[in-house]
Amino acid sequence: MTPLSDSHINSPPAAAWSEADRVAALQGYAILDTPVETEFEDVVRLAAETFSAPIAVVNLVSNDRQWFKAEVGIGARELPLDVSICAHAILQNDFLVVPDTRADSRFDCNPLVTADDGLRFYAGAILRSASGFPIGTVCVLDREARPEGITAHQRLVLEVLARQVMTQLELRKALVEQKVRAEELRAEVRQRADAEAALRSAEERYRLVSRATNDAIWDWDFATDHVIWNEALEAAHGHRPDAVEPTGAWWIEHIHPDDRARVDGSIHEAIDGTAASWSDEYRFLRADGSYAAILDRGHIIRNEAGAAVRMIGAMLDLTERQRTRAILMRSEERLRLATDAAEVGFWDVDIVNDALIWPPIVKGMFGISPDVPVSMADFYAGIHPDDQPATFEAFEGACDPVRRALYDVDYRTVGKEDGKIRWVAAKGRGVFDDEGNCVRVVGTAIDVTARKADEAELRELNDHLERRVAEAISEREKIEEALRQSQKMEAVGQLTGGIAHDFNNMLAVIIGSLDLLGRRLGSEDERARRHVDNAAEASQRAAMLTQRLLAFSRQQPLNPEVLDPNKLVPGMSELLSHTLGAEIRQETVLAAGLWRTHADRNQLENAILNLAVNARDAMPEGGRLTIETQNSHIDERYAAANIGVPHGQYVMIAISDTGTGMPPDVIAKAFDPFFTTKSVGKGTGLGLSQVYGFVKQSGGHVKIYSEAGEGTTIKIYLPRFIGDDVEAEAKRPTDLPRGEARELILVVEDEPSVRQFSVDALTELGYNVIEADGALAALRLLDAHPEILLLFTDIVMPDINGRKLADEALRRRPDLKVLYTTGYTRNAVVHNGVVDPGVELLGKPFTVEQLATKIRAVLEG
């Protein structure tokens, strides 16, 4: 495409304006290629309806195309300039009507006209910019000729619509300029709080009276001493202009008494001398009796002889509200001064004369003194070598007539005089002449060294924060994994606890019956005796499995006592030596001053024995087993990383071996019930589970430290006991105690087979026994037999459990002895894993010997 010219339309060009000026005026509205807008669409619809025409457009004519801001009947947003009818209206620079285009020689070669269904009629009103340039048209077209032309009303409609379009364009332009100006003002106020002083000084030196201002304007005629005020006198100070005395005396009288003589003197000094202007500050009396702080400025008009004949001035209210209003209304002069005060430097490069204009503030950014002359060589030499390519490329882009890029770059400077490194943010644009040559590049520069330092510090803080967040996420994932493991162990424990209960009831019958059978079986039938012993041994192993399941699930009843591990460990020496064999060397390291702990002696011995057996199996070729005791403290950090472990003081018992060790995947599953790395028949997979359950039930913690091929250490942490209880002594076995026929025992058990065994066993032991299958029957028998000495009841029964039965029985018979039995307590007489105080409990399954011992102990207790 080529610019609009007479070569396109065979018509003489307009002489009143240049094409470059016209296109520049169009571009000033920034309207080309903008989206469809309702305001403009309404214009073309109204034009089409007014003319009953199928086509109407708001056509903006550029130097290379005609672009439609709104259109009806075209179906496109732009067309080539070669086929433009509106271009003739532009060149004519006036309203254009073509009743029949085929009768007009100007359109003989226009394909839009010569086509079979071509355009035959055109009417267009000029879109004229505020500076008077024609930038387009509002036009209507028809495929039918209209020899009669248009009516005066239709012309008026088109002209009104054209003015409406220009009003919209001017409004858009004003809004953009207003937005830019508002942003500049906000930036100015933020950047320099003390810009007020600079503004005030500028007002004193340069601002002239303007009738467009909102200040109180006065016009003083010295010959008549007549003063004319504008309406702002009332708006700002409450004095109605038509109600005040129109003389200079009235004005002087309303100046504060302390300021009056000084102001009067300064006015006469200016008038009587040769000054062209006058300014002063004083306090002015308002109508409400208050005083306003005023900066007054006047322009003195003199006659040919130099005598003052008139002075026109304005009173600027310097109170906070009026000062703020004045700031918002200030012109380019204020903006320049304010940006200087805010350390924003303007620069101007004269490309034609290779000259550079830098104010002192910009010179300072390059380390150059204010009075030192500068040239472009100083600019090129002052850029940091690492930033030169990008900076020079940006400057060339701004000077390029094709690209006309925005010069927007941050670069470092190396001070010419001080060698100091500074950061500068520069922005600018090229200024081009009518021929497209860049003649100047102007812009601003700001020292952003402090900002860059802050950004670097912020990046460092962000990097540090990201590391902290990553560490926190990793720590949270570890805690979540520990929580999942804890929940898994808890769920498995609940399952195994329920299974153990059912097994205990069955084993109670099996073990008890075998015990009774063995006592009645004579020694003459050795084969039968062997079968009974084998069955009893297998039943005991099964009972041990259920005990381990209950231990893992933390549902076995514990009988804790005050223990000194430094006495308990050596006491197991003989048992451990027998268990480990001659190929395992045993070492004991006992800490001096070891704290005591409160735990179940039998379960702790069992745990140590289990760990010793596992250590032995991990050292098939022999090795060393070390049992160590130590006082230990678990801090809050360790406790937070291990869910369910309270911080505090613990007694630590460590069992270490020099065996094969465990890889991480085995350690992760080591406490799971039935998990074992041993071959079939070599282990149940419940040893470590029992240790884990016992330690957790005792309020402690257990930890495995192991590596494949490096041996294993398992540490048991039991809470430190703080109190005066003395260590209990281990009980020694005694002969089987028996009862007497006068001692009556009430057996309560809902399982018939278990109940029958209990009755038979007690009868065998010499006691008189009666039985009940539930709580209600037991209470009736208790009322009927006051001679009952002991209630032997199961805990887990339907309807009313054993604990509630015992409570009611003791209410009726406070002297009654009570012995509970159960295979699964469910927190009836055991809480937090410990048997309630004063409660006697015999766990299922039990032997006749265990029953005899416990019954005797309760009766004699």
Side-chain angles (χ1 to χ4, degrees):
M1 296 296 176
T2 57
L4 182 65
S5 68
D6 58 346
S7 62
H8 288 92
I9 57 177
N10 296 320
S11 177
W17 41 262
S18 70
E19 175 64 7
D21 292 337
R22 189 193 66 79
V23 172
L26 171 61
Q27 291 174 343
Y29 290 101
I31 189 66
L32 296 179
D33 300 314
T34 56
V36 173
E37 297 179 52
T38 304
E39 293 83 351
F40 297 97
E41 293 294 313
D42 291 342
V43 168
V44 294
R45 282 196 294 268
L46 180 57
E49 291 176 2
T50 300
F51 281 81
S52 300
I55 301 172
V57 295
V58 174
N59 188 1
L60 299 170
V61 180
S62 183
N63 62 335
D64 59 353
R65 58 176 172 156
Q66 52 179 332
W67 183 80
F68 308 135
K69 176 59 183 175
E71 57 83 19
V72 172
I74 297 294
R77 295 300 300 278
E78 66 176 61
L79 287 175
L81 197 59
D82 304 55
V83 298
S84 174
I85 299 177
C86 292
H88 293 273
I90 296 294
L91 290 176
Q92 181 175 305
N93 198 13
D94 198 357
F95 198 101
L96 176 64
V97 179
V98 183
D100 187 349
T101 56
R102 292 190 180 179
D104 193 324
S105 61
R106 290 178 293 179
F107 308 107
D108 289 347
C109 298
N110 192 323
L112 296 182
V113 174
T114 59
D116 292 340
D117 192 23
L119 301 173
R120 298 291 302 279
F121 167 77
Y122 173 88
I126 292 295
L127 296 176
R128 195 175 307 281
S129 72
S131 54
F133 292 105
I135 61 172
T137 64
V138 175
C139 60
V140 293
L141 301 99
D142 198 349
R143 293 185 174 84
E144 299 287 339
R146 300 189 181 187
E148 70 283 1
I150 63 173
T151 66
H153 173 71
Q154 288 174 327
R155 175 171 180 146
L156 176 62
V157 168
L158 273 186
E159 289 175 338
V160 169
L161 291 178
R163 288 195 296 271
Q164 180 66 24
V165 169
M166 287 311 302
T167 298
Q168 290 294 329
L169 293 180
E170 291 293 342
L171 177 61
R172 287 167 54 94
K173 184 176 181 181
L175 289 175
V176 171
E177 291 175 349
Q178 182 181 19
K179 182 177 179 181
V180 172
R181 178 59 56 81
E183 183 60 34
E184 290 174 348
L185 291 176
R186 283 193 292 270
E188 166 197 334
V189 172
R190 288 194 303 267
Q191 291 170 349
R192 190 66 178 265
D194 59 352
E196 175 185 342
L199 294 174
R200 181 173 169 181
S201 175
E203 290 162 351
E204 294 175 348
R205 293 193 304 267
Y206 303 112
R207 185 169 178 83
L208 298 176
V209 175
S210 171
R211 293 189 177 276
T213 184
N214 287 331
D215 298 342
I217 304 298
W218 46 268
D219 185 346
W220 188 3
D221 187 333
F222 297 142
T224 62
D225 192 27
H226 187 271
V227 180
I228 300 174
W229 298 90
N230 70 345
E231 292 79 4
L233 181 66
E234 180 179 5
H237 306 294
H239 299 292
R240 290 177 51 194
D242 58 355
V244 302
E245 182 182 341
T247 64
W250 178 90
W251 172 30
I252 297 298
E253 288 172 358
H254 280 72
I255 297 176
H256 193 282
D258 294 343
D259 302 332
R260 191 176 300 154
R262 172 178 53 82
V263 174
D264 191 23
S266 69
I267 291 176
H268 283 87
E269 182 180 355
I271 294 173
D272 296 340
T274 59
S277 63
W278 162 84
S279 68
D280 208 339
E281 291 187 30
Y282 56 86
R283 286 160 289 178
F284 183 77
L285 182 63
R286 291 177 173 144
D288 61 4
S290 63
Y291 281 92
I294 298 297
L295 170 63
D296 208 343
R297 298 90 66 222
H299 175 66
I300 302 173
I301 302 174
R302 299 180 181 276
N303 58 22
E304 294 180 355
V309 295
R310 186 179 177 191
M311 184 162 62
I312 300 174
M315 296 168 57
L316 177 63
D317 192 335
L318 295 181
T319 60
E320 188 63 28
R321 180 174 62 83
Q322 294 292 345
R323 183 182 303 125
T324 302
R325 180 183 301 173
I327 289 174
L328 295 177
M329 297 176 62
R330 203 161 304 280
S331 63
E332 292 297 329
E333 177 187 5
R334 186 217 45 202
L335 177 62
R336 178 181 61 79
L337 294 172
T339 52
D340 283 347
E343 299 181 351
V344 177
F346 288 95
W347 49 265
D348 188 344
V349 178
D350 186 340
I351 301 297
V352 177
N353 299 308
D354 192 25
L356 175 63
I357 299 174
W358 274 355
I361 188 173
V362 179
K363 291 180 180 179
M365 297 177 193
F366 283 76
I368 300 174
S369 299
D371 56 346
V372 175
V374 293
S375 66
M376 286 301 292
D378 293 302
F379 168 70
Y380 291 123
I383 304 297
H384 191 284
D386 294 343
D387 298 335
Q388 287 179 0
T391 304
F392 298 162
E393 169 62 24
F395 189 78
E396 292 174 2
C399 299
D400 189 337
V402 177
R403 288 185 288 169
R404 301 194 181 193
L406 172 67
Y407 177 68
D408 187 354
V409 65
D410 290 2
Y411 53 79
R412 287 164 291 177
T413 65
V414 181
K416 180 177 181 180
E417 299 174 6
D418 56 14
K420 185 177 179 181
I421 302 296
R422 298 173 177 84
W423 272 101
V424 175
K427 287 188 177 181
R429 283 192 180 277
V431 178
F432 299 86
D433 61 17
D434 294 342
E435 297 178 0
N437 299 314
C438 182
V439 295
R440 294 170 61 200
V441 181
V442 295
T444 60
I446 303 175
D447 188 331
V448 293
T449 305
R451 189 190 76 190
K452 289 292 185 178
D454 292 342
E455 290 174 353
E457 183 179 355
L458 180 60
R459 283 194 298 271
E460 183 178 353
L461 290 175
N462 286 339
D463 292 343
H464 178 67
L465 178 60
E466 289 174 359
R467 289 194 298 272
R468 291 288 301 276
V469 170
E471 292 171 359
I473 291 174
S474 176
E475 187 69 19
R476 185 184 67 185
E477 290 175 348
K478 291 179 182 178
I479 294 174
E480 289 176 349
E481 179 60 30
L483 179 59
R484 284 193 293 270
Q485 177 70 8
S486 174
Q487 291 171 338
K488 181 190 76 173
M489 299 293 275
E490 184 69 24
V492 174
Q494 292 177 0
L495 174 64
T496 55
I499 295 173
H501 168 255
D502 294 335
F503 271 102
N504 278 336
N505 273 335
M506 293 183 286
L507 289 172
V509 178
I510 296 172
I511 291 175
S513 299
L514 288 172
D515 196 359
L516 289 175
L517 179 61
R519 293 177 183 277
R520 297 192 178 198
L521 191 63
S523 59
E524 63 277 0
D525 191 346
E526 294 183 359
R527 184 176 181 183
R529 167 66 62 184
R530 186 170 64 254
H531 289 325
V532 170
D533 290 344
N534 289 340
E537 182 181 354
S539 299
Q540 288 295 340
R541 288 200 301 272
M544 183 60 69
L545 284 177
T546 61
Q547 288 303 314
R548 288 179 173 177
L549 289 173
L550 285 173
F552 167 72
S553 64
R554 291 175 263 173
Q555 294 165 355
Q556 64 174 343
L558 298 179
N559 290 295
E561 55 188 274
V562 180
L563 297 176
D564 183 353
N566 275 358
K567 293 181 180 179
L568 183 141
V569 171
M572 297 181 63
S573 178
E574 183 177 349
L575 174 62
L576 291 174
S577 296
H578 175 73
T579 302
L580 296 175
E583 296 181 347
I584 305 293
R585 186 170 74 258
Q586 179 184 347
E587 294 183 359
T588 302
V589 182
L590 304 178
L594 188 70
W595 298 326
R596 293 172 298 167
T597 187
H598 195 243
D600 189 307
R601 176 187 298 272
N602 292 333
Q603 292 297 332
L604 180 55
E605 289 178 344
N606 234 0
I608 294 174
L609 184 60
N610 271 331
L611 296 177
V613 170
N614 281 350
R616 178 200 65 192
D617 295 342
M619 298 183 289
E621 305 299 327
R624 182 176 69 255
L625 175 74
T626 303
I627 302 179
E628 179 184 3
T629 64
Q630 182 180 326
N631 293 331
S632 182
H633 180 80
I634 292 181
D635 59 24
E636 294 182 358
R637 183 176 181 181
Y638 183 89
N642 294 268
I643 300 298
V645 180
H647 64 88
Q649 295 178 328
Y650 290 82
V651 176
M652 189 272 292
I653 304 173
I655 295 87
S656 303
D657 64 61
T658 58
T660 56
M662 290 183 280
D665 60 322
V666 173
I667 294 176
K669 301 178 182 178
F671 292 126
D672 291 0
F674 305 110
F675 175 78
T676 181
T677 58
K678 300 175 184 178
S679 57
V680 177
K682 296 295 184 180
T684 62
L686 288 172
L688 285 179
S689 302
Q690 181 183 12
V691 174
Y692 176 85
F694 157 67
V695 173
K696 289 295 184 181
Q697 192 173 356
S698 301
H701 175 55
V702 59
K703 186 73 173 178
I704 299 176
Y705 301 90
S706 183
E707 291 184 17
E710 299 295 330
T712 299
T713 296
I714 298 181
K715 295 183 178 181
I716 295 174
Y717 296 86
L718 296 173
R720 176 189 180 183
F721 173 78
I722 299 177
D724 299 327
D725 291 357
V726 297
E727 181 185 0
E729 296 183 359
K731 298 179 180 178
R732 300 183 180 276
T734 59
D735 294 334
L736 184 67
R738 299 182 63 80
E740 300 178 4
R742 64 180 178 79
E743 294 175 312
L744 180 59
I745 297 176
L746 173 57
V747 176
V748 185
E749 170 65 63
D750 63 311
E751 287 287 341
S753 56
V754 179
R755 185 172 69 250
Q756 186 60 54
F757 156 67
S758 299
V759 171
D760 291 346
L762 291 170
T763 302
E764 183 76 16
L765 292 171
Y767 295 100
N768 189 12
V769 184
I770 57 177
E771 59 181 289
D773 61 357
L776 296 178
L779 291 174
R780 287 194 295 269
L781 289 174
L782 191 66
D783 292 339
H785 297 275
E787 67 274 20
I788 294 175
L789 297 179
L790 183 141
L791 171 64
F792 182 41
T793 177
D794 187 22
I795 293 178
V796 182
M797 295 188 298
D799 298 330
I800 301 176
N801 63 32
R803 181 59 187 261
K804 293 181 179 179
L805 167 62
D807 290 344
E808 177 60 26
L810 289 171
R811 189 186 66 80
R812 300 181 184 188
R813 294 271 306 278
D815 59 337
L816 183 68
K817 304 290 186 180
V818 178
L819 174 61
Y820 296 99
T821 183
T822 185
Y824 183 49
T825 64
R826 290 193 183 273
N827 294 328
V829 297
V830 177
H831 292 87
N832 299 321
V834 178
V835 177
D836 293 344
V839 170
E840 297 291 345
L841 176 66
L842 179 63
K844 298 178 184 179
F846 51 81
T847 64
V848 174
E849 180 180 358
Q850 293 169 331
L851 177 62
T853 302
K854 195 67 175 179
I855 288 287
R856 198 72 256 162
V858 173
L859 286 172
E860 295 176 359

